[in-house]
Amino acid sequence: MDGNSVEKPLLLPPTVEPSYVKRKTSLFTSLAKFILKVLMWVVFILWVGIAFLLPGKFSTHTITVLFNATGGTVFGFTGSFFLLFTGPVLLISILAFAYIIISGEEDFSKKKRSGHPSFRLWTFPVIVDGPFGVVSAAELVGILLFGVYVIWAVYSYSLKAISLIPDQLSFKVQSSLFLESMGLHLGSVGIFCLAFLFLPVSRGSVLLRLIDIPFEHATRYHVWLGHLTMVLFTIHGLLYVIAWTIEGRLIDQLLEWKSIGIANLPGVISLVAGLLMWVTSLPPVRKLNFELFFYTHQLYVVFVIFLALHVGDFVFFISAGGIYLFMLDRFLRFCQSRKIVEIISAKCLPCGTVELVISKPANLRYNALSFVFLQLRELSWLQWHPFSVSSSPMDGKYHMAVLIKVLGEWTAKLRGNILNDSASDAVPEEELPLKPNTKLTASVEGPYGHECPYHLMYENLVLVAGGIGISPFLAILTDILHRIREGKPCLPRNVMIIWAVKNSTEIPLLSTVDMESICPSFSDKVKVETHIYVTRESEPPLEEGNVQSSVTTSAFPVSKGHAMSGLVGTGHKVWSGLYLVSSTIGLIILMYLLQVFYISPYGISTWWYKGLLIMACMALSVLIFGGSVIGLWHLWETRILEKEGYHDGVIKFDEEQHNGNTILKESSIESPRKSTLLKYGTRPDFEEIFAYISKCWGHVDAGVIVCGPPTLQASVAKEIRSHNIFKREKDHPIFHFNSHSFDL
């Protein structure tokens, strides 16, 4: 790249085909997947089509027929709303599980380039600056569709509201009626947006698995939808407040709780809860006090329950599908996190990073881009924190590792719990003694992440990290090396790591991966080049070859520990599918029993009460029917462990792997490898870097994965967009942008 490089590695030419890539898909499997995919698209298009039809006049007859579809059955008008709005979401979810089960292990060979690199909507950054952050072409299409729907609905409802107001009324009365009509219709638009709001935050959601979007990336969609939904609901409430003020009956209307029709007071309570969540989630408040944001967001329970009381049973079904999937995910997370997991190893590094090794069952699978939520009982019983997994799933069957940068109060407590705090002020960090008899117990949720490890689908990879963002790339690197050694599907042949750090004390993190030990002669099949940029130091603090002397030893090495539970939505596909199917069937059964034995015989017609009953049915179906499957799932998991020779949840620790190379070990750190370029006092020049890659790699698809702060993501995305559109020549690569950063 320039004269400062120690050595320019020879990159494999694009014509070399990895011999270890080989998988085939049967004709029956392909046909079944195609049919399921078509069915899901048809159901989705019909579901969205109904929402687009509702505001228009021309659809009045069609909508009326659909709304009366179950009018002659025991379910009545409520059943029609369930079929039209909640049913499609649940049906798509069930079909999605069938699709995922049939798909089995991903065929990486079919994902490789067909000889002609091409642009992809999901990986082409279109917007890199602005309130949305980095937005891909596919995401922009979604934003535009939502925008078109909202504009269309507001326009149509405005015309409808104006046409229904009699001309002979006074201007004051006309204004009041128009405001109330628009408030009602904006509320209905908000209800439809609410149907999507809970889908991205269902961490183990099958829908996220289907489209292969991990929860950490989907949270941004929840943020966008949250802003849109709350804007609509806030205007909805304000229009009513203004109308009631004009009429001189504001207080009476705010406190009104109707039996038939919309109950106002529950709506006020729901809106207040939503506003509290919304205001405390704004970036300035969230950054200033994250705990305030986190605890206030638990008001979603109040928000949803009082929304059901506000609108009644049938209107609530417009958004109930996404809420129900969230309830399923939340209950499964609760069951998984009840198990106490022992931290089987903890280490503190001189760079201010802590490594925790967690015991897990062999049948709990994850990939190198997964992450987990941790709650450490010794630090807090309430706080949960997400961390990227730093170990490869092939490092060992019975453990996974995470790297934690000491940045805030919680992480500082973690470091202090491991080290002897009494000596921390007087002794350099790398010489701190370990606290004797230290024990950490944790609750774990996850792992979550991409359904398919997309880092294995690019023959050419660029990994861009900022600080502790190197953690998932350590897992990627070791995963690639393990797969090459064992001959498993894996496409990468050229890997370039670009790492920006503040201080040179962080450099040893990368050196802990001994590539030769994992895969001898790996350089014959994959070339790895590393560029490290130390931004806050103008020159090396020590002589080359002695960047850092050692890694602090293990705090409490043990040979066994209680493993984390495998009850997770991204876990066993069949059990997860049975959990969804049984809960859905249970919901329908409970609704039927409720209608036959209570609502119809006793003539229950109160809207808010029926809304409460529907919420009760949803909760009981998850608890009773879903809980039964979870119990069987747990028994099955226990038997599997017993067959492997482990009892009472105690799992043996992969001692050999732990003492090996991919988990941080007690050894001296080597100097940067010959294939490493090390620069001080400068930041990565991505224009220069991508120009260099373009010349070396030629006309190929190149996957770029970024893990770091938003500014780093924006810089990389901006250069990728500029290169792909303006600077790219016909023999240059097409760069595909992917981000791996968790930012709630």
Side-chain angles (χ1 to χ4, degrees):
M1 184 172 171
D2 59 32
N4 297 324
S5 179
V6 177
E7 178 180 319
K8 287 186 179 180
L10 298 175
L11 298 177
L12 285 173
T15 54
V16 177
E17 183 70 25
S19 60
Y20 42 84
V21 177
K22 50 181 183 296
R23 284 189 65 86
K24 291 185 178 180
T25 303
S26 67
L27 178 61
F28 173 79
T29 300
S30 300
L31 180 61
K33 289 171 62 178
F34 174 77
I35 293 174
L36 288 171
K37 188 178 293 186
V38 170
L39 286 175
M40 287 186 286
W41 270 111
V42 169
V43 174
F44 176 75
I45 291 173
L46 290 176
W47 177 53
V48 175
I50 292 173
F52 270 88
L53 286 174
L54 278 176
K57 285 185 178 181
F58 57 85
S59 63
T60 303
H61 176 70
T62 303
I63 294 299
T64 302
V65 172
L66 292 175
F67 282 175
N68 291 310
T70 61
T73 69
V74 68
F75 292 105
F77 195 55
T78 303
S80 298
F81 271 75
F82 178 84
L83 286 178
L84 292 176
F85 297 103
T86 301
V89 178
L90 300 180
L91 179 58
I92 292 173
S93 300
I94 293 172
L95 293 175
F97 262 120
Y99 181 87
I100 291 173
I101 292 171
I102 291 175
S103 297
E105 187 177 347
E106 186 62 43
D107 184 356
F108 301 124
S109 60
K110 71 179 181 180
K111 298 286 185 180
K112 66 187 177 78
R113 84 279 183 269
S114 60
H116 300 283
S118 58
F119 294 101
R120 301 165 192 169
L121 292 178
W122 278 109
T123 59
F124 183 77
V126 178
I127 301 175
V128 297
D129 298 309
F132 294 104
V134 179
V135 178
S136 69
E139 291 169 336
L140 181 60
V141 171
I143 293 172
L144 292 176
L145 286 176
F146 264 98
V148 168
Y149 167 72
V150 172
I151 294 172
W152 153 249
V154 171
Y155 170 75
S156 298
Y157 284 137
S158 298
L159 294 180
K160 186 179 295 186
I162 294 172
S163 65
L164 294 177
I165 298 175
D167 296 333
Q168 62 271 23
L169 298 177
S170 65
F171 177 75
K172 179 180 178 181
V173 176
Q174 286 182 336
S175 299
S176 177
L177 290 176
F178 176 76
L179 291 173
E180 289 189 17
S181 178
M182 285 305 302
L184 175 65
H185 290 131
L186 284 178
S188 65
V189 177
I191 286 285
F192 181 73
C193 293
L194 186 65
F196 291 88
L197 181 63
F198 284 86
L199 295 177
V201 288
S202 300
R203 297 177 186 172
S205 170
V206 65
L207 298 181
L208 295 182
R209 296 177 69 177
L210 175 68
I211 57 180
D212 200 18
I213 295 180
F215 167 70
E216 55 94 9
H217 191 77
T219 50
R220 59 192 277 146
Y221 307 147
H222 174 74
V223 173
W224 299 348
L225 288 166
H227 289 315
L228 175 60
T229 303
M230 286 311 303
V231 165
L232 291 170
F233 281 161
T234 302
I235 298 176
H236 158 77
L238 284 175
L239 290 179
Y240 271 106
V241 168
I242 296 172
W244 293 334
T245 301
I246 293 174
E247 297 170 1
R249 54 194 183 105
L250 175 62
I251 301 301
D252 292 339
Q253 287 294 322
L254 289 177
L255 299 178
E256 188 177 50
W257 196 313
K258 295 180 182 177
S259 296
I260 305 298
I262 301 297
N264 294 339
L265 183 55
V268 173
I269 297 173
S270 179
L271 181 58
V272 170
L275 288 173
L276 287 173
M277 289 190 290
W278 188 27
V279 171
T280 55
S281 69
L282 297 176
V285 180
R286 189 178 66 226
K287 292 179 181 178
L288 182 65
N289 194 331
F290 181 83
E291 289 188 6
L292 176 64
F293 152 74
F294 177 79
Y295 295 129
T296 306
H297 241 60
Q298 307 314 306
L299 289 173
Y300 74 85
V301 178
V302 176
F303 174 77
V304 171
I305 291 177
F306 280 90
L307 176 67
L309 299 179
H310 174 55
V311 299
D313 54 343
F314 62 91
V315 178
F316 182 69
F317 272 134
I318 295 177
S319 59
I323 294 173
Y324 189 64
L325 291 181
F326 176 80
M327 292 172 64
L328 287 168
D329 179 76
R330 188 65 191 88
F331 182 64
L332 189 59
R333 284 161 45 198
F334 172 81
C335 294
Q336 184 192 27
S337 63
R338 292 311 90 195
K339 188 171 184 179
I340 305 301
V341 181
E342 290 185 4
I343 304 297
I344 54 182
S345 177
K347 297 178 182 178
C348 289
L349 282 77
C351 60
T353 302
V354 174
E355 184 215 35
L356 300 181
V357 181
I358 308 167
S359 182
K360 77 170 191 69
N363 64 330
L364 181 60
R365 298 183 179 181
Y366 67 99
N367 64 55
L369 287 168
S370 296
F371 61 95
V372 295
F373 281 79
L374 291 181
Q375 176 208 61
L376 297 180
R377 303 295 177 91
E378 288 76 14
L379 305 182
S380 172
W381 283 76
L382 298 176
Q383 294 187 37
W384 289 82
H385 295 268
F387 299 103
S388 296
V389 174
S390 60
S391 59
S392 164
M394 303 183 71
D395 285 332
K397 294 181 180 180
Y398 305 105
H399 74 264
M400 66 169 57
V402 296
L403 289 175
I404 302 172
K405 181 74 172 179
V406 179
L407 293 173
E409 181 180 351
W410 188 89
T411 52
K413 286 182 180 179
L414 172 61
R415 173 184 171 276
N417 193 279
I418 299 173
L419 299 174
N420 189 341
D421 286 337
S422 62
S424 61
D425 294 332
V427 183
E429 184 176 297
E430 61 270 18
E431 299 177 13
L432 280 173
L434 296 163
K435 186 180 292 185
N437 302 320
T438 303
K439 182 179 180 180
L440 287 177
T441 56
S443 293
V444 183
E445 290 184 6
Y448 305 107
H450 281 272
E451 177 69 14
C452 188
Y454 65 88
H455 63 281
L456 300 175
M457 299 178 186
Y458 293 105
E459 294 184 355
N460 307 276
L461 271 178
V462 182
L463 308 178
V464 184
I468 195 60
I470 195 66
S471 177
F473 297 159
L474 298 178
I476 287 178
L477 191 56
T478 55
D479 192 46
I480 292 172
L481 296 174
H482 277 299
R483 285 179 171 273
I484 292 175
R485 185 187 66 189
E486 299 182 17
K488 293 191 174 183
C490 178
L491 289 180
R493 295 176 292 120
N494 297 312
V495 179
M496 174 178 284
I497 300 173
I498 302 166
W499 188 23
V501 296
K502 294 179 180 178
N503 304 297
S504 58
T505 54
E506 300 181 54
I507 296 177
L509 280 177
L510 188 60
S511 301
T512 54
V513 179
D514 189 341
M515 294 189 287
E516 287 289 352
S517 176
I518 298 173
C519 181
S521 303
F522 71 91
S523 57
D524 294 337
K525 294 182 178 179
V526 61
K527 291 298 180 181
V528 180
E529 183 175 0
T530 306
H531 294 207
I532 302 176
Y533 298 82
V534 184
T535 60
R536 293 190 179 180
E537 296 177 5
S538 57
E539 58 184 13
L542 300 173
E543 294 182 4
E544 185 180 353
N546 191 28
V547 175
Q548 199 62 254
S549 58
S550 64
V551 177
T552 308
T553 55
S554 175
F556 36 89
V558 295
S559 59
K560 62 183 180 180
H562 290 273
M564 58 190 290
S565 171
L567 302 176
V568 58
T570 54
H572 197 278
K573 298 175 181 177
V574 175
W575 281 112
S576 298
L578 288 175
Y579 174 57
L580 171 64
V581 172
S582 64
S583 300
T584 303
I585 294 174
L587 174 60
I588 297 173
I589 291 174
L590 289 177
M591 288 171 53
Y592 176 81
L593 295 176
L594 180 69
Q595 191 72 34
V596 171
F597 294 102
Y598 184 59
I599 293 179
S600 295
Y602 293 94
I604 305 298
S605 59
T606 304
W607 282 28
W608 67 265
Y609 184 52
K610 292 174 71 174
L612 182 62
L613 291 175
I614 291 299
M615 283 296 303
C617 287
M618 293 168 64
L620 288 174
S621 67
V622 174
L623 183 63
I624 298 173
F625 292 86
S628 300
V629 173
I630 290 177
L632 294 174
W633 187 355
H634 175 69
L635 291 176
W636 174 83
E637 185 183 55
T638 303
R639 290 201 173 189
I640 293 294
L641 295 178
E642 290 177 352
K643 286 182 180 180
E644 295 178 355
Y646 312 117
H647 303 275
D648 300 324
V650 177
I651 303 295
K652 74 175 184 178
F653 180 42
D654 298 296
E655 187 173 358
E656 291 184 3
Q657 287 93 338
H658 175 67
N659 292 331
N661 301 292
T662 52
I663 309 299
L664 299 183
K665 57 186 179 179
E666 184 180 355
S667 64
S668 60
I669 301 299
E670 300 175 356
S671 60
R673 302 181 182 90
K674 290 184 177 180
S675 58
T676 298
L677 179 144
L678 185 57
K679 285 187 174 183
Y680 288 87
T682 185
R683 298 180 181 275
D685 184 341
F686 291 110
E687 181 178 2
E688 181 184 359
I689 291 171
F690 282 106
Y692 166 72
I693 294 174
S694 298
K695 293 180 180 179
C696 293
W697 289 357
H699 190 47
V700 297
D701 282 311
V704 181
I705 307 177
V706 186
C707 186
T711 51
L712 179 65
Q713 295 184 47
S715 298
V716 176
K718 188 174 184 178
E719 182 56 36
I720 288 177
R721 183 184 64 177
S722 175
H723 176 89
N724 286 346
I725 297 178
F726 303 110
K727 303 176 183 177
R728 181 177 170 272
E729 299 179 6
K730 63 179 182 179
D731 59 343
H732 282 184
I734 292 179
F735 293 102
H736 301 274
F737 178 83
N738 302 273
S739 66
H740 184 77
S741 299
F742 195 97
D743 183 23
L744 273 176

